Amino acid sequence: MTQDWITAIGMMSGTSLDGVDAALIETDGVDVRRLDQSVFVPYAPELRERMRECFGNRSATNFEHVVADDLTQVHVDAVNMLLAKAGMLPGDIGIIGFHGQTVFHEPASGLTRQIGTPHMLAEKTGIPVVADFRLADVAAGGEGAPLAPVYHAALMKSAGVETPVAVLNIGGVSNVTWIGDGADGADLLAFDCGPGNARLDDWMLRHTGNPVDLNGATAASGTADPMVEIKFLEDPYFDRVPPKSLDREDMAARIDGLVAEARLNVSDGAATLANCTVAAIVAGVNHLPVAPKSWFVCGGGRHNQYVMEMLANRLGVPVRPVDDLDWDGDAVEAECFGYLAVRHLRGLPLSFPGTTGVPAPCCGGKLYPTKKAA
């Protein structure tokens, strides 16, 4: 391995609030070698609820600072677990990419907020950290999201898949990366499609006490209300030309209100919310330059067999989990932030006009060195 390649840990805490993913990669900031080493550390229910209370905060509070330290400690634990699993030491790692937890995202107002304590992570692990990935993009007039497209394109270069192809991430929010023949920043289009797992997860937690619809079994046992979907698709967001992005809570009141108005039981509500997730993704095809020949899905939503089957039926082309490409569908987003951290070190852009709407390719992130290196 040449000195140009760096071993990095990427970390992601998504809007689903399930926990922290941490993954190892090797990269020079352009090409990537996956190491197939990752861990997941779930949040304790009590911490998850305190994190949920931070959603919608336009500015920091004392309560939020405590939550930020507590969720950062879970990241520290994840790093230590990953190093132990891989048989590595902190000195073997060049950088950590730390996304933190998004609590507010309103790029139209120039605001995106991710909480976490990067200097604490650097000090406790002994590894330098890059964080604050979205701030520069939003400050330059971009949406600040999604940031994964450049990593999706790097992975897809060696996948041998016919283009154009779509990589779909279904997390709390769903987002799509369209990759054309060039598979570089100039030939990428990306945007948030709409609510992903968030509304269905919240419905299941509220009505069953379970935080997810495991394998989509509850949705599959119900009957979707088509009028809810029709009214949901009237939201002006779906007509907006991308790039565009969403906060987890965007559309929440609207869709929850529509479901409540329909007076649906648990299974019918789950089916309806799952269909709204699918409908938002399908509606996004209208904004793509050319319809993808296939779709590959990462994130927790790919485990929902009901959603996957509905997507394949409505899109009319193959819809497969990214695991079929030998990617780890649970670790792609975490790996991405390791990749972006190295791109920060190399002075390479993280976002592009076609991915976030930023006027020109935009670098991003901030380095937090260890005390020893400071």
Side-chain angles (χ1 to χ4, degrees), residues 309-374:
E309 290 172 9
M310 291 297 295
L311 277 172
N313 289 339
R314 295 204 195 184
L315 290 169
V317 295
V319 176
R320 298 156 58 190
V322 296
D323 310 75
D324 286 0
L325 299 174
D326 289 328
W327 304 1
D328 182 345
D330 292 318
V332 169
E333 275 202 287
E335 292 173 357
C336 168
F337 284 94
Y339 181 73
L340 296 181
V342 175
R343 285 183 72 86
H344 166 84
L345 297 179
R346 299 290 191 236
L348 296 170
L350 311 188
S351 55
F352 304 85
T355 63
T356 66
V358 72
C362 184
C363 297
K366 178 181 176 182
L367 178 65
Y368 294 80
T370 62
K371 277 188 173 181
K372 183 177 179 181

Side-chain angles (χ1 to χ4, degrees), residues 14-18 52 168-175 194-205 210-216 248-249 255-256 270 273-274 276-278 280-281 297-305 307-308 311 329-330 333:
T15 52
S16 58
L17 293 180
D18 51 353
R52 195 183 298 274
L168 174 67
N169 177 65
I170 308 178
V173 170
S174 64
N175 56 71
N197 301 323
R199 304 274 60 81
L200 178 56
D201 288 350
D202 287 356
W203 174 268
M204 294 298 295
L205 184 63
N210 297 318
V212 297
D213 180 10
L214 192 62
N215 297 323
R248 183 190 193 275
E249 299 307 295
I255 192 170
D256 290 351
L273 290 168
C276 286
T277 293
V278 171
I281 294 163
V297 186
C298 57
R302 80 190 194 290
H303 296 302
N304 187 315
Q305 291 304 308
V307 167
M308 293 290 281
L311 277 172
D330 292 318
E333 275 202 287

Side-chain angles (χ1 to χ4, degrees), residues 196-266:
N197 301 323
R199 304 274 60 81
L200 178 56
D201 288 350
D202 287 356
W203 174 268
M204 294 298 295
L205 184 63
R206 187 161 62 247
H207 291 281
T208 72
N210 297 318
V212 297
D213 180 10
L214 192 62
N215 297 323
T218 303
S221 70
T223 301
D225 186 321
M227 288 308 300
V228 171
E229 180 183 323
I230 290 169
K231 292 177 182 177
F232 167 64
L233 289 174
E234 291 173 356
D235 191 290
Y237 180 82
F238 298 113
D239 291 326
R240 273 182 55 194
V241 176
K244 55 185 178 177
S245 64
L246 288 166
D247 182 81
R248 183 190 193 275
E249 299 307 295
D250 287 342
M251 302 190 197
R254 175 180 173 80
I255 192 170
D256 290 351
L258 289 172
V259 172
E261 186 180 293
R263 299 182 180 277
L264 302 174
N265 62 32
V266 175

Side-chain angles (χ1 to χ4, degrees), residues 121-143:
L121 181 61
E123 290 169 11
K124 288 202 168 190
T125 62
I127 303 168
V129 170
V130 174
D132 305 329
F133 287 97
R134 303 186 189 274
L135 300 184
D137 183 273
V138 170
E143 291 283 327

Side-chain angles (χ1 to χ4, degrees), residues 17 43-55 63 67 205:
L17 293 180
Y43 288 125
E46 175 270 337
L47 176 57
R48 186 180 297 125
E49 289 310 306
R50 287 194 289 129
M51 292 167 64
R52 195 183 298 274
E53 289 180 43
C54 297
F55 285 166
F63 172 82
V67 175
L205 184 63

Side-chain angles (χ1 to χ4, degrees), residues 11 33-34 68 93 121 186 238 272 291:
M11 312 198 78
R33 289 195 283 260
R34 297 187 55 258
I93 308 300
L121 181 61
F238 298 113
T272 300

